[in-house]
């Protein structure tokens, strides 16, 4: 092994080039810091290479394919040829490479030093990077740990058992897929695989973690799409062999078995910290390998921060990105704050789901007295034009203060529509703040307006509620 002679001095060293790490690196460089970014695999991390991007390539294909099947009402002939799985995989590879090259070029343009290799802390101000026979040592003023996490199987590892990291790495069409779970991975995969021709069975051990009106609508859409849904099941055994996977589960005290070519079953997660030598420098890590940190994202070593999945909270790229920017700005002397009050959650199911703020249950648990109102896409003009009448928007407000507490949407455009909810909730909007502005017509956004108007029984396209007549 060739050991670099002297420790090279750096202002900021970031370990991990996923969304958290590379956003922190670019923002720090924009603000004048000298940055070294260490990555042992591919820039872009799980999000670009296995997660957000590949999953959204597939959910996008499912969405478009689904639309082409319904296009005849608009005079567009229905596509009759089978779906070309290999072309989707080629497109996925191309998208990943293109986006990764974009990140590489941005790092270069910002003069960020990207070091390929495995990083290990040697002391609280030195880090070593090994790559093949080379071992370099950097002395840093500050460091950020952004090494992510990985699924830790609860069952035997087998190629027929898909994990969140292998769900979108299939080179051939899957015939039958049994999915056990209610998390985002499970639901997104259930819909996209089913729409692209796989027969999916969805086994739900618990209630969906969604506002009840949204969960009910999602299950209605699942059944309409042909997904076989079994609720309130208890998983008993998972048995993969060369040809198939057999899953045994209990429902209503009866034992059932289902065979499928592949299965997705629950996982644990572990923070990627084993190789970092954190015990040597006193950075605290919990039993599952997640770095313990303060509300300011500082670890037990004051010059070392942790962001993203490795912290064991939220586990969304959007969170890692925001944390990365906040820490970079603070290190550059700016007054930036990390706040996790409002995190938009998007499920790219068909139709998609987006939520911000509290569900009705969460609001009640927090002791709020609430009013809830729902408007449907069925009564929206643009949804009718677009053949996208599945879906609804539910809003929740505090009945005392009129403050909006939650916006939950299932329906076309939900991922974009939710942004007005995020800004509204961030600004402490009351229900009048959502009603005062003008909404474009015809547009999906009018569903949100009508849900808010419905809080007072004033949604134009909903049937009248019982009201007392007022004298004019
Ligand atoms: C199927 C799937 C779909 C998803 N969809 C979404 C979505 O739509 N929206 C969303 O917001 N989130 C989504 N996520 C979650 C998202 O991928 C993660 O939250 C995000 O990648 C976290 O970013 P990170 O920077 O913390 O870590 P990662 O992306 O995991 O990056 C960590 C990087 O550190 C590197 N590394 C680890 N150890 C070392 C070491 N010792 N030395 C050097 N480098 C090291 C790794 O190689 C990796 O590149 C999805 C995840 C999956 C699996
Ligand atoms: N589209 C995506 O963003 C995407 C896709 C795939 C995977 N993921 C990953 O999925 C992981 C797991 O997601 P999850 O759904 O298990 O996570 P989660 O715990 O973050 O919950 C998701 C949503 O459910 C809401 N919720 C929680 N308890 C509730 C309750 N009792 N009633 C109503 N709503 C409730 C939360 O407020 C949140 O909006 C995340 O860590 C993320 O990394 C994200």
């Amino acid at each position: 092994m060739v050991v670099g002679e002297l420790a090279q001095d750096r202002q900021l060293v970031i370990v991990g080039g996923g969304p958290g790490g590379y956003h922190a690196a670019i923002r720090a460089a924009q603000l004048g810091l000298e940055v070294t970014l260490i990555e042992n695999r591919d820039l872009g991390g799980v999000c670009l290479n296995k997660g957000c991007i590949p999953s959204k390539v597939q959910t996008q294909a499912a969405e478009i394919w689904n639309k082409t099947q319904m296009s005849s009402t608009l005079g567009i002939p229905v596509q009759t040829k089978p779906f070309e799985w290999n072309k989707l995989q080629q497109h996925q590879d191309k998208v990943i490479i293109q986006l990764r090259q974009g990140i590489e070029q941005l790092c270069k343009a910002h003069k960020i030093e990207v070091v390929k290799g495995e990083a290990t802390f040697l002391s609280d101000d030195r880090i070593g990077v090994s790559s093949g026979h080379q071992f370099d040592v950097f002395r840093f003023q500050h460091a950020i740990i952004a090494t992510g996490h990985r699924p830790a199987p609860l069952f035997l590892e087998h190629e027929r058992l898909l994990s969140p990291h292998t769900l979108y790495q299939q080179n051939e069409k899957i015939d039958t897929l049994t999915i056990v779970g209610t998390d985002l991975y499970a639901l997104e995969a259930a819909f996209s695989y089913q729409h692209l021709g796989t027969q999916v069975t969805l086994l739900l051990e618990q209630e969906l973690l969604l506002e009840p009106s949204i969960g009910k609508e999602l299950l209605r859409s699942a059944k309409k799409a042909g997904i076989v849904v079994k609720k309130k099941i208890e998983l008993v055994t998972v048995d993969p062999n060369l040809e198939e996977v057999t899953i045994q589960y209990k429902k209503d005290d009866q034992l059932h078995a289902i065979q499928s070519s592949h299965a997705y079953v629950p996982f644990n997660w572990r923070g990627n910290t084993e190789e970092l030598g954190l015990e040597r420098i006193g950075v605290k890590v919990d039993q599952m390998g997640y770095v313990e940190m303060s509300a300011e994202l500082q670890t037990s070593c004051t010059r070392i921060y942790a962001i993203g999945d490795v912290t064991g909270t939220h586990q969304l790229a959007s969170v890692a990105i925001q944390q990365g920017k906040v820490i970079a700005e603070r290190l550059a002397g700016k007054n930036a704050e990390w706040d996790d009050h409002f995190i938009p959650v998007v499920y790219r199911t068909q139709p998609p789901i987006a939520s911000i703020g509290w569900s009705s249950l969460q609001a009640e648990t927090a002791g709020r007295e609430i009013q809830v109102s729902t408007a449907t896409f069925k009564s929206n003009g643009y949804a009718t034009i677009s053949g996208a009448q599945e879906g609804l928007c539910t809003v929740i407000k505090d009945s005392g203060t009129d403050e909006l507490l939650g916006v939950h949407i299932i329906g076309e455009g939900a991922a974009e529509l939710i942004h007005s909810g995020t800004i509204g909730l961030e600004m402490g909007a009351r229900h009048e703040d959502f009603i005062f502005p003008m909404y474009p017509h015809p547009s999906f956004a009018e569903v949100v307006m009508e849900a808010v108007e419905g809080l007072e029984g004033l949604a134009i396209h909903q049937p009248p509620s019982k009201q007392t007549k007022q004298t004019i």
Side-chain angles (χ1 to χ4, degrees):
M1 177 170 292
V2 183
V3 180
E5 281 184 6
L6 291 171
Q8 308 167 54
D9 286 315
R10 297 289 186 268
Q11 279 183 303
L12 174 62
V13 167
I14 299 170
V15 191
Y22 91 76
H23 278 79
I26 293 177
R27 179 54 52 87
Q30 286 170 332
L31 295 172
L33 297 183
E34 284 169 9
V35 185
T36 295
L37 177 62
I38 307 166
E39 168 57 56
N40 62 4
R41 291 187 174 192
D42 294 314
L43 283 182
V46 167
C47 179
L48 172 56
N49 300 292
K50 297 175 183 166
C52 324
I53 302 301
S55 63
K56 267 76 235 179
V57 167
Q58 187 162 316
T59 57
Q60 173 71 353
E63 196 180 315
I64 295 178
W65 178 259
N66 201 19
K67 276 191 187 154
T68 63
Q69 301 304 301
M70 302 185 309
S71 60
S72 63
T73 45
L74 291 172
I76 304 165
V78 171
Q79 167 67 265
T80 50
K81 289 188 181 163
F83 183 78
E84 296 181 74
W85 191 258
N86 59 335
K87 287 224 173 122
L88 180 70
Q89 295 312 302
Q90 284 165 17
H91 177 63
Q92 178 178 301
D93 293 346
K94 205 169 127 196
V95 168
I96 292 173
I97 290 170
Q98 195 176 323
L99 292 176
R100 197 189 297 139
Q101 283 172 346
I103 300 170
E104 284 162 2
Q105 280 158 16
L106 279 171
C107 286
K108 208 169 165 189
H110 284 289
K111 301 192 169 37
I112 294 163
E113 177 187 34
V114 178
V115 178
K116 262 264 150 53
E118 181 88 21
T120 310
F121 286 91
L122 305 173
S123 66
D124 67 357
D125 69 348
R126 282 183 316 131
I127 193 163
V129 184
S130 67
S131 176
H133 296 297
Q134 183 74 19
F135 189 78
D136 291 307
V137 179
F138 299 94
R139 178 175 286 111
F140 56 82
Q141 288 172 23
H142 294 283
I144 300 176
I145 303 170
T147 50
H149 71 162
R150 62 181 189 283
L154 286 169
F155 298 92
L156 193 74
E157 280 193 72
H158 193 282
E159 59 179 19
R160 291 191 177 275
L161 291 182
L162 307 184
S163 83
H165 283 186
T166 58
L167 262 173
Y168 301 102
Q169 307 211 321
Q170 303 304 309
N171 291 324
E172 284 171 21
K173 184 183 157 227
I174 290 177
D175 289 331
T176 47
L177 175 62
T178 303
I179 294 182
V180 187
T182 51
D183 61 35
L184 282 163
Y185 311 107
L187 296 177
E188 284 189 348
F191 277 83
S192 63
Y193 272 108
Q194 176 72 26
H195 280 298
L196 296 177
T198 299
Q199 176 54 58
V200 174
T201 301
L202 182 59
L203 301 180
L204 304 174
E205 287 184 289
Q206 41 172 309
E207 297 290 324
L208 296 177
L209 282 178
L210 294 165
E211 175 63 20
S213 58
I214 305 283
K216 210 166 142 199
E217 184 73 359
L218 186 76
L219 291 184
R220 213 175 62 80
S221 299
K223 285 180 191 157
K224 199 172 154 205
I227 298 172
V228 178
V229 181
K230 305 273 178 207
K231 291 195 260 182
K232 295 188 182 158
I233 68 101
E234 189 191 325
L235 185 59
V236 180
T237 56
V238 176
D239 182 16
N241 64 32
L242 275 180
E243 274 92 42
E244 60 187 12
V245 183
T246 302
I247 288 185
Q248 284 194 309
Y249 64 94
K250 263 193 196 162
K251 184 169 165 59
D252 302 327
D253 284 333
Q254 299 250 349
L255 192 63
H256 301 264
I258 178 168
Q259 276 87 26
S260 49
S261 66
H262 292 76
Y264 172 91
V265 289
F267 274 79
N268 265 337
W269 292 87
R270 281 200 71 84
N272 295 326
T273 48
E274 291 90 342
E275 314 300 329
L276 291 176
L278 295 181
E279 61 296 336
R280 201 178 296 143
I281 58 170
V283 168
K284 289 193 189 131
V285 168
D286 72 13
Q287 277 184 334
M288 296 309 284
Y290 290 110
V291 177
E292 294 182 10
M293 37 111 206
S294 69
E296 282 75 43
L297 309 173
Q298 205 158 29
T299 69
S300 35
C301 250
T302 50
R303 63 172 79 219
I304 303 177
Y305 296 81
I307 58 171
D309 282 358
V310 75
T311 66
T313 52
H314 308 304
Q315 295 156 4
L316 286 169
S318 44
V319 169
I321 289 168
Q322 185 78 341
Q323 291 179 332
K325 288 184 192 167
V326 165
I327 293 303
E329 287 168 16
R330 287 233 299 270
L331 292 177
K334 291 199 170 289
N335 195 9
E337 194 189 334
W338 162 243
D339 183 300
D340 66 355
H341 264 86
F342 297 113
I343 297 176
V345 177
V346 173
Y347 293 40
R348 297 270 181 180
T349 43
Q350 284 77 43
I353 295 176
S355 280
I356 187 75
W358 278 335
S359 65
S360 43
L361 180 69
Q362 288 169 322
E364 278 166 348
T365 310
R368 299 294 190 103
E369 221 166 87
I370 56 167
Q371 268 173 269
V372 180
S373 160
T374 295
T376 60
F377 276 60
K378 200 168 57 197
S379 49
N380 174 274
Y382 202 65
T384 309
I385 294 166
S386 316
Q389 288 181 294
E390 269 179 59
L392 50 87
C393 170
T394 292
V395 294
I396 297 148
K397 79 163 183 175
D398 183 302
S399 6
T401 63
D402 271 355
E403 184 194 354
L404 258 286
L405 300 176
V407 179
H408 307 271
I409 307 170
I410 175 168
E412 182 143 342
E416 282 70 34
L417 289 176
I418 201 64
H419 198 57
S420 61
T422 307
I423 292 182
L425 265 63
E426 274 291 352
M427 296 180 84
R430 290 161 198 271
H431 102 267
E432 66 186 10
D433 298 312
F434 271 84
I435 289 172
F436 182 76
M438 229 179 277
Y439 285 71
H441 176 78
S443 71
F444 292 128
E446 289 173 301
V447 181
V448 180
M449 174 186 75
E450 292 233 324
V452 181
E453 284 183 335
L455 287 166
E456 305 251 294
L458 292 175
I460 300 291
H461 297 92
Q462 303 296 316
S465 54
K466 285 177 201 144
Q467 290 169 3
T468 38
K469 274 200 179 159
Q470 288 194 5
T471 325
I472 301 172

